[in-house]
Amino acid sequence: MSKKLYKDVNGYKIEDRFTGLSNDLKIEMLRKMYEIRHFENEAEQFIIRGMIHGTCHLYTGEEATAVGAICAIQSDDYITSTHRGHGHCIAKGADLNIMMAELLGKKTGYSKGKGGSMHIADVRSGNLGANGVVGGSIGIATGGALTCKMKKNGKIVVCFFGDGAANQGIFHSSINIASIWDLPVVYLCENNVYGMSTSVKEAFNIKRISDRKYAYGIEGLTIDGNDLIEVFNTISYFAGRCRTGKGPVLVESLTYRWSGHSKSDAQVYRTREEIKEWKERDPIKRYREILISRKIITEKDDSDLEKEVMNKIQKASEFARESPFPDPSEVEDDVYA
Amino acid sequence: MLKNNARQLTYLEALREAMQQKMRADNDVYLIGEDIAEYGGAFGVTVGMLEEFGSERIRNTPISEEAIIGIAAGSAITGMRPIAEIMFSDFITIAMDQIANQAAKICYMFGGKARVPMVIRTAGGGGTGAAAQHSQSLEAIVAHIPGLKVVMPSCPYDAKGLLISSINDDNPVIFIEHKLLYKNKKYTNSVPEEMYEIPLGKGDIKKGGSDISIVATSYMVQKSLEAAEKLSLEKGIDCEVVDIRTLKPLDIDIILNSIKKTGKLICVEEAPVFGGFMGEVVAQVSEKGFDWLDAPIKRVAGRNCPVPYSLVLEQEMIPGVERIEKGILDLLG
Ligand SMILES: Cc1ncc(C[n+]2csc(CCOP(=O)(O)OP(=O)(O)O)c2C)c(N)n1
Ligand SMILES: [Mg+2]
């Protein structure tokens, strides 16, 4: 089947690979977005009830970027994530029970309670980890891509990072090396308008973060990160390009975080109107409406799906609450030096 | 200690007041760092300062620690007196070239012909559940580097006086604040309204005593005071608590004088015990004060692991009152 041209941006002839997907896959993407949304709602409840010892950065409102991008790559490809990592982790196929347990610092969590929200990794599913250091994963992603190239295993890496991270030195030095070595990385900048309280307007003097591609001699563009189909098609296209040895790309995904930056944030730096405007561009609502209008699901299917997901989240929450805390004697386990 | 003023401030308020007063008095003093302007800093230390001093002097930056420190150092050698805020002390590692190879070395490498009057304020320590990359106590790393002064205040009174001295100092000072002290009303104390200096290189006896000397830094000073009080009430043990206050320059005399009196030394710090700063204290005491000791020195410090997330593990990693008490009882036999 010849693929329809989806978009011609900056000369990129991005094909529509979404339309040809099976209905199951299309619905799976909606399910994943619901999982993220409701996982974050439950995490927020934990925060409110004082059950999270540390902090949590919620991904609510940004679901389409993680799900669209991760569904566009192979299940054995790698990703690197950020402090706002729950969405990437879920999209990559992590177990919700084990994730939730980690948030509560339980022994049954991904890091046996040692990492918490900011350090969930699921190496088995190719998730090389959330990261507490802004920009910290950009080098790791680039190294992962070097492995892919040296082992010629055909895999690629999707490196998620925020707009804030794009101003760290490691962004520059890593992307430059990836460019000169043609490493298979999709650098995916989630521009959610703020890095903590600092707006992108304040932190950049360029219109588009993706314009930095010119400095490294690589390809890239800016997309609507709240449009799952656009994310999926773009990342499919660029992942394919990476896989053929054409080097890294820089994609900027425009989105917005609905919640405060972390556990405590009075949000003095933005207005209610702005938040409201962005909530109207809810990525889940947009995608659900498309599926309904294309008769892939009915309203009822949709609400059944959401209920099913909510149940699953409740089960995960119970599992986490009922799990034991680690024993203090485990504190030096996994220490080798 | 000047304690004629009844006004109680938190640690955070004392720090802010030090900066405000210095900025009013000296136009060359400015702030640079992440989220320090309208947000008021991740911990709220700089709240209200943008309104008073404007964005020229409260310089909010992108997330670029290396540049923050480099810019601070460059402006310092050319006539400004920057106060750079690194949100979490863990991230000084990102700026380490600019700290260790540049700021720390310039005066010496240039034969004393340039000075680097800058302060790096940063929040250290754990206990907040922020896990391995946001909870470290890295003071030993910076204290090891010739050319850096290292300050760790344990209470509001010290915080203000030490920060003013640090700003007035013509050399780079790493000023490590503790997250659990910032807003804690339990640790407020009276802070004079006027500007005052506490000289760098002077420790402080936080509680006098005759049975044992507890030498501690930062938040562990508060925990040591609590342990001392408990032991005094419950067992009649009279502990002396010595607050190092400035790791570098180190006031070794105050420690030696204390052990002359008590004959026993226990060192308390939050950082992992291996290679911790207290190793230096122990070495100097054994070189200069061996004759006064009548028992082996003991260290109570963090376990040798990254700071874990889960509360149960974090409490196991970081020393608390109980561990300090136990250390003292073990030492006293
Ligand atoms: C090196 C470093 N500096 C500062 C911080 C504190 N911090 C945590 S998240 C954050 C903002 C990150 O912004 P962005 O990269 O845009 O991600 P977002 O939170 O918007 O998803 C900051 C400043 C950090 N974790 N690491
Ligand atoms: Mg952002």
Side-chain angles (χ1 to χ4, degrees), chain B residues 180-212:
Chain B
L180 294 182
L181 292 172
Y182 279 134
K183 293 178 185 164
N184 199 327
K185 292 270 194 288
K186 198 162 129 193
Y187 307 123
T188 56
N189 58 16
S190 50
V191 177
E193 285 187 37
E194 67 276 11
M195 282 205 257
Y196 59 95
E197 286 198 353
I198 293 175
L200 305 187
K202 283 275 169 257
D204 188 36
I205 306 286
K206 285 286 186 291
K207 177 195 169 297
S210 53
D211 294 337
I212 183 169

mmCIF file of all heavy atoms in Angstrom, chain B residues 180-212:
data_model
loop_
_atom_site.group_PDB
_atom_site.id
_atom_site.type_symbol
_atom_site.label_atom_id
_atom_site.label_comp_id
_atom_site.label_asym_id
_atom_site.label_seq_id
_atom_site.Cartn_x
_atom_site.Cartn_y
_atom_site.Cartn_z
ATOM 1 N N LEU B 180 16.831 21.019 55.203
ATOM 2 C CA LEU B 180 15.928 20.792 56.340
ATOM 3 C C LEU B 180 15.984 21.935 57.347
ATOM 4 O O LEU B 180 15.224 21.963 58.305
ATOM 5 C CB LEU B 180 16.252 19.466 57.032
ATOM 6 C CG LEU B 180 15.984 18.214 56.203
ATOM 7 C CD1 LEU B 180 16.298 16.960 57.007
ATOM 8 C CD2 LEU B 180 14.535 18.160 55.725
ATOM 9 N N LEU B 181 16.883 22.882 57.142
ATOM 10 C CA LEU B 181 16.954 24.015 58.067
ATOM 11 C C LEU B 181 16.149 25.217 57.583
ATOM 12 O O LEU B 181 15.694 26.029 58.394
ATOM 13 C CB LEU B 181 18.417 24.438 58.270
ATOM 14 C CG LEU B 181 19.316 23.442 59.021
ATOM 15 C CD1 LEU B 181 20.769 23.908 58.976
ATOM 16 C CD2 LEU B 181 18.857 23.270 60.464
ATOM 17 N N TYR B 182 15.987 25.326 56.264
ATOM 18 C CA TYR B 182 15.440 26.553 55.674
ATOM 19 C C TYR B 182 14.226 27.136 56.396
ATOM 20 O O TYR B 182 14.208 28.286 56.770
ATOM 21 C CB TYR B 182 15.032 26.316 54.218
ATOM 22 C CG TYR B 182 16.171 26.369 53.234
ATOM 23 C CD1 TYR B 182 16.312 25.400 52.245
ATOM 24 C CD2 TYR B 182 17.103 27.405 53.264
ATOM 25 C CE1 TYR B 182 17.350 25.457 51.324
ATOM 26 C CE2 TYR B 182 18.147 27.465 52.345
ATOM 27 C CZ TYR B 182 18.267 26.486 51.370
ATOM 28 O OH TYR B 182 19.287 26.546 50.474
ATOM 29 N N LYS B 183 13.177 26.308 56.509
ATOM 30 C CA LYS B 183 11.911 26.873 56.984
ATOM 31 C C LYS B 183 11.534 26.348 58.352
ATOM 32 O O LYS B 183 10.472 26.679 58.870
ATOM 33 C CB LYS B 183 10.794 26.519 55.988
ATOM 34 C CG LYS B 183 11.002 27.208 54.650
ATOM 35 C CD LYS B 183 9.947 26.847 53.627
ATOM 36 C CE LYS B 183 10.300 27.489 52.293
ATOM 37 N NZ LYS B 183 9.597 26.941 51.156
ATOM 38 N N ASN B 184 12.378 25.506 58.907
ATOM 39 C CA ASN B 184 12.025 24.805 60.138
ATOM 40 C C ASN B 184 11.976 25.759 61.329
ATOM 41 O O ASN B 184 12.990 26.319 61.752
ATOM 42 C CB ASN B 184 13.050 23.698 60.388
ATOM 43 C CG ASN B 184 12.514 22.660 61.340
ATOM 44 O OD1 ASN B 184 11.743 22.983 62.247
ATOM 45 N ND2 ASN B 184 12.906 21.423 61.122
ATOM 46 N N LYS B 185 10.783 25.929 61.873
ATOM 47 C CA LYS B 185 10.587 26.877 62.979
ATOM 48 C C LYS B 185 11.300 26.412 64.261
ATOM 49 O O LYS B 185 11.585 27.205 65.149
ATOM 50 C CB LYS B 185 9.081 27.036 63.265
ATOM 51 C CG LYS B 185 8.332 27.739 62.145
ATOM 52 C CD LYS B 185 8.323 29.266 62.360
ATOM 53 C CE LYS B 185 7.315 29.984 61.484
ATOM 54 N NZ LYS B 185 7.656 30.055 60.068
ATOM 55 N N LYS B 186 11.549 25.111 64.322
ATOM 56 C CA LYS B 186 12.248 24.562 65.477
ATOM 57 C C LYS B 186 13.657 25.158 65.586
ATOM 58 O O LYS B 186 14.234 25.219 66.669
ATOM 59 C CB LYS B 186 12.333 23.051 65.258
ATOM 60 C CG LYS B 186 12.635 22.231 66.472
ATOM 61 C CD LYS B 186 12.241 20.769 66.192
ATOM 62 C CE LYS B 186 13.395 19.834 66.527
ATOM 63 N NZ LYS B 186 13.173 18.484 65.985
ATOM 64 N N TYR B 187 14.206 25.534 64.473
ATOM 65 C CA TYR B 187 15.588 26.013 64.473
ATOM 66 C C TYR B 187 15.699 27.514 64.225
ATOM 67 O O TYR B 187 16.702 27.983 63.728
ATOM 68 C CB TYR B 187 16.418 25.247 63.439
ATOM 69 C CG TYR B 187 16.336 23.747 63.603
ATOM 70 C CD1 TYR B 187 15.899 22.922 62.561
ATOM 71 C CD2 TYR B 187 16.674 23.145 64.817
ATOM 72 C CE1 TYR B 187 15.810 21.549 62.716
ATOM 73 C CE2 TYR B 187 16.589 21.765 64.984
ATOM 74 C CZ TYR B 187 16.155 20.977 63.930
ATOM 75 O OH TYR B 187 16.069 19.618 64.083
ATOM 76 N N THR B 188 14.680 28.277 64.553
ATOM 77 C CA THR B 188 14.835 29.726 64.445
ATOM 78 C C THR B 188 15.729 30.170 65.603
ATOM 79 O O THR B 188 15.810 29.494 66.626
ATOM 80 C CB THR B 188 13.486 30.470 64.596
ATOM 81 O OG1 THR B 188 12.916 30.091 65.840
ATOM 82 C CG2 THR B 188 12.522 30.125 63.483
ATOM 83 N N ASN B 189 16.414 31.288 65.433
ATOM 84 C CA ASN B 189 17.030 31.920 66.604
ATOM 85 C C ASN B 189 17.115 33.413 66.405
ATOM 86 O O ASN B 189 16.739 33.937 65.351
ATOM 87 C CB ASN B 189 18.339 31.272 67.053
ATOM 88 C CG ASN B 189 19.417 31.238 65.996
ATOM 89 O OD1 ASN B 189 19.345 31.930 64.999
ATOM 90 N ND2 ASN B 189 20.419 30.422 66.234
ATOM 91 N N SER B 190 17.559 34.118 67.445
ATOM 92 C CA SER B 190 17.507 35.566 67.334
ATOM 93 C C SER B 190 18.648 36.052 66.444
ATOM 94 O O SER B 190 19.788 35.624 66.563
ATOM 95 C CB SER B 190 17.546 36.224 68.709
ATOM 96 O OG SER B 190 18.603 35.682 69.449
ATOM 97 N N VAL B 191 18.266 36.916 65.542
ATOM 98 C CA VAL B 191 19.202 37.410 64.533
ATOM 99 C C VAL B 191 19.168 38.930 64.577
ATOM 100 O O VAL B 191 18.111 39.531 64.385
ATOM 101 C CB VAL B 191 18.777 36.911 63.134
ATOM 102 C CG1 VAL B 191 19.695 37.468 62.059
ATOM 103 C CG2 VAL B 191 18.766 35.384 63.076
ATOM 104 N N PRO B 192 20.296 39.566 64.826
ATOM 105 C CA PRO B 192 20.329 41.025 64.865
ATOM 106 C C PRO B 192 19.890 41.632 63.535
ATOM 107 O O PRO B 192 20.145 41.064 62.478
ATOM 108 C CB PRO B 192 21.801 41.351 65.121
ATOM 109 C CG PRO B 192 22.377 40.110 65.709
ATOM 110 C CD PRO B 192 21.597 38.970 65.145
ATOM 111 N N GLU B 193 19.233 42.796 63.634
ATOM 112 C CA GLU B 193 18.778 43.432 62.402
ATOM 113 C C GLU B 193 19.921 44.024 61.604
ATOM 114 O O GLU B 193 19.889 44.049 60.385
ATOM 115 C CB GLU B 193 17.755 44.528 62.732
ATOM 116 C CG GLU B 193 16.434 43.895 63.091
ATOM 117 C CD GLU B 193 15.316 44.886 63.276
ATOM 118 O OE1 GLU B 193 15.278 45.884 62.529
ATOM 119 O OE2 GLU B 193 14.484 44.647 64.166
ATOM 120 N N GLU B 194 20.944 44.498 62.291
ATOM 121 C CA GLU B 194 22.041 45.130 61.563
ATOM 122 C C GLU B 194 22.936 44.078 60.898
ATOM 123 O O GLU B 194 22.858 42.908 61.218
ATOM 124 C CB GLU B 194 22.871 46.028 62.506
ATOM 125 C CG GLU B 194 23.643 45.305 63.592
ATOM 126 C CD GLU B 194 22.826 44.979 64.859
ATOM 127 O OE1 GLU B 194 21.576 45.119 64.833
ATOM 128 O OE2 GLU B 194 23.444 44.562 65.845
ATOM 129 N N MET B 195 23.754 44.560 59.969
ATOM 130 C CA MET B 195 24.711 43.644 59.344
ATOM 131 C C MET B 195 25.790 43.295 60.353
ATOM 132 O O MET B 195 26.237 44.142 61.123
ATOM 133 C CB MET B 195 25.366 44.329 58.149
ATOM 134 C CG MET B 195 24.497 44.363 56.929
ATOM 135 S SD MET B 195 25.508 44.490 55.447
ATOM 136 C CE MET B 195 25.300 46.209 55.071
ATOM 137 N N TYR B 196 26.211 42.062 60.363
ATOM 138 C CA TYR B 196 27.337 41.647 61.211
ATOM 139 C C TYR B 196 28.074 40.521 60.507
ATOM 140 O O TYR B 196 27.509 39.815 59.677
ATOM 141 C CB TYR B 196 26.847 41.189 62.592
ATOM 142 C CG TYR B 196 25.884 40.032 62.554
ATOM 143 C CD1 TYR B 196 26.320 38.717 62.709
ATOM 144 C CD2 TYR B 196 24.520 40.242 62.328
ATOM 145 C CE1 TYR B 196 25.429 37.651 62.652
ATOM 146 C CE2 TYR B 196 23.634 39.182 62.266
ATOM 147 C CZ TYR B 196 24.089 37.892 62.428
ATOM 148 O OH TYR B 196 23.212 36.836 62.360
ATOM 149 N N GLU B 197 29.346 40.405 60.823
ATOM 150 C CA GLU B 197 30.153 39.355 60.208
ATOM 151 C C GLU B 197 30.501 38.292 61.229
ATOM 152 O O GLU B 197 30.758 38.601 62.391
ATOM 153 C CB GLU B 197 31.476 39.941 59.691
ATOM 154 C CG GLU B 197 31.355 40.762 58.435
ATOM 155 C CD GLU B 197 32.724 40.929 57.765
ATOM 156 O OE1 GLU B 197 33.747 40.516 58.357
ATOM 157 O OE2 GLU B 197 32.763 41.465 56.656
ATOM 158 N N ILE B 198 30.505 37.066 60.800
ATOM 159 C CA ILE B 198 31.127 35.996 61.586
ATOM 160 C C ILE B 198 32.355 35.588 60.790
ATOM 161 O O ILE B 198 32.221 35.178 59.635
ATOM 162 C CB ILE B 198 30.168 34.799 61.751
ATOM 163 C CG1 ILE B 198 28.961 35.196 62.609
ATOM 164 C CG2 ILE B 198 30.904 33.616 62.363
ATOM 165 C CD1 ILE B 198 27.907 34.117 62.727
ATOM 166 N N PRO B 199 33.538 35.742 61.354
ATOM 167 C CA PRO B 199 34.730 35.491 60.551
ATOM 168 C C PRO B 199 34.798 34.052 60.034
ATOM 169 O O PRO B 199 34.440 33.120 60.757
ATOM 170 C CB PRO B 199 35.884 35.776 61.516
ATOM 171 C CG PRO B 199 35.286 35.878 62.866
ATOM 172 C CD PRO B 199 33.834 36.153 62.726
ATOM 173 N N LEU B 200 35.219 33.903 58.781
ATOM 174 C CA LEU B 200 35.411 32.562 58.235
ATOM 175 C C LEU B 200 36.635 31.975 58.935
ATOM 176 O O LEU B 200 37.638 32.658 59.131
ATOM 177 C CB LEU B 200 35.635 32.615 56.720
ATOM 178 C CG LEU B 200 34.551 33.348 55.916
ATOM 179 C CD1 LEU B 200 34.797 33.183 54.415
ATOM 180 C CD2 LEU B 200 33.147 32.867 56.264
ATOM 181 N N GLY B 201 36.541 30.735 59.331
ATOM 182 C CA GLY B 201 37.676 30.115 60.019
ATOM 183 C C GLY B 201 37.534 30.103 61.524
ATOM 184 O O GLY B 201 38.491 29.838 62.248
ATOM 185 N N LYS B 202 36.331 30.403 61.989
ATOM 186 C CA LYS B 202 36.086 30.344 63.432
ATOM 187 C C LYS B 202 34.922 29.385 63.699
ATOM 188 O O LYS B 202 33.810 29.612 63.237
ATOM 189 C CB LYS B 202 35.691 31.737 63.976
ATOM 190 C CG LYS B 202 36.879 32.655 64.128
ATOM 191 C CD LYS B 202 37.574 32.431 65.479
ATOM 192 C CE LYS B 202 38.927 33.134 65.556
ATOM 193 N NZ LYS B 202 40.094 32.225 65.393
ATOM 194 N N GLY B 203 35.210 28.340 64.452
ATOM 195 C CA GLY B 203 34.149 27.425 64.868
ATOM 196 C C GLY B 203 33.369 28.025 66.022
ATOM 197 O O GLY B 203 33.627 29.160 66.442
ATOM 198 N N ASP B 204 32.424 27.275 66.528
ATOM 199 C CA ASP B 204 31.589 27.810 67.605
ATOM 200 C C ASP B 204 31.183 26.670 68.545
ATOM 201 O O ASP B 204 30.819 25.588 68.090
ATOM 202 C CB ASP B 204 30.334 28.451 66.984
ATOM 203 C CG ASP B 204 29.502 29.195 68.016
ATOM 204 O OD1 ASP B 204 30.089 29.799 68.939
ATOM 205 O OD2 ASP B 204 28.262 29.164 67.896
ATOM 206 N N ILE B 205 31.273 26.965 69.842
ATOM 207 C CA ILE B 205 30.775 25.984 70.813
ATOM 208 C C ILE B 205 29.268 26.200 70.937
ATOM 209 O O ILE B 205 28.827 27.215 71.464
ATOM 210 C CB ILE B 205 31.437 26.197 72.205
ATOM 211 C CG1 ILE B 205 32.957 26.202 72.092
ATOM 212 C CG2 ILE B 205 30.930 25.140 73.197
ATOM 213 C CD1 ILE B 205 33.597 24.871 71.857
ATOM 214 N N LYS B 206 28.497 25.267 70.448
ATOM 215 C CA LYS B 206 27.043 25.444 70.492
ATOM 216 C C LYS B 206 26.490 25.037 71.859
ATOM 217 O O LYS B 206 25.428 25.481 72.257
ATOM 218 C CB LYS B 206 26.360 24.629 69.384
ATOM 219 C CG LYS B 206 26.526 25.245 67.989
ATOM 220 C CD LYS B 206 25.644 26.479 67.813
ATOM 221 C CE LYS B 206 25.640 27.077 66.429
ATOM 222 N NZ LYS B 206 26.849 27.730 65.961
ATOM 223 N N LYS B 207 27.218 24.169 72.546
ATOM 224 C CA LYS B 207 26.829 23.811 73.913
ATOM 225 C C LYS B 207 28.103 23.387 74.632
ATOM 226 O O LYS B 207 28.844 22.529 74.138
ATOM 227 C CB LYS B 207 25.828 22.651 73.882
ATOM 228 C CG LYS B 207 25.423 22.152 75.272
ATOM 229 C CD LYS B 207 24.726 20.810 75.233
ATOM 230 C CE LYS B 207 24.577 20.196 76.624
ATOM 231 N NZ LYS B 207 25.848 19.888 77.313
ATOM 232 N N GLY B 208 28.356 23.976 75.775
ATOM 233 C CA GLY B 208 29.537 23.602 76.546
ATOM 234 C C GLY B 208 29.313 22.291 77.282
ATOM 235 O O GLY B 208 28.179 21.925 77.577
ATOM 236 N N GLY B 209 30.385 21.570 77.560
ATOM 237 C CA GLY B 209 30.249 20.302 78.284
ATOM 238 C C GLY B 209 31.614 19.759 78.641
ATOM 239 O O GLY B 209 32.629 20.243 78.129
ATOM 240 N N SER B 210 31.643 18.748 79.520
ATOM 241 C CA SER B 210 32.950 18.303 80.001
ATOM 242 C C SER B 210 33.241 16.823 79.763
ATOM 243 O O SER B 210 34.366 16.385 79.913
ATOM 244 C CB SER B 210 33.038 18.574 81.507
ATOM 245 O OG SER B 210 31.901 17.995 82.141
ATOM 246 N N ASP B 211 32.216 16.032 79.342
ATOM 247 C CA ASP B 211 32.460 14.593 79.240
ATOM 248 C C ASP B 211 32.962 14.140 77.878
ATOM 249 O O ASP B 211 33.737 13.201 77.771
ATOM 250 C CB ASP B 211 31.163 13.822 79.557
ATOM 251 C CG ASP B 211 30.737 13.992 81.005
ATOM 252 O OD1 ASP B 211 31.619 14.302 81.840
ATOM 253 O OD2 ASP B 211 29.535 13.835 81.297
ATOM 254 N N ILE B 212 32.472 14.769 76.836
ATOM 255 C CA ILE B 212 32.822 14.317 75.482
ATOM 256 C C ILE B 212 32.627 15.477 74.503
ATOM 257 O O ILE B 212 31.730 16.307 74.689
ATOM 258 C CB ILE B 212 31.961 13.083 75.087
ATOM 259 C CG1 ILE B 212 32.362 12.542 73.702
ATOM 260 C CG2 ILE B 212 30.464 13.392 75.110
ATOM 261 C CD1 ILE B 212 31.751 11.181 73.378
#
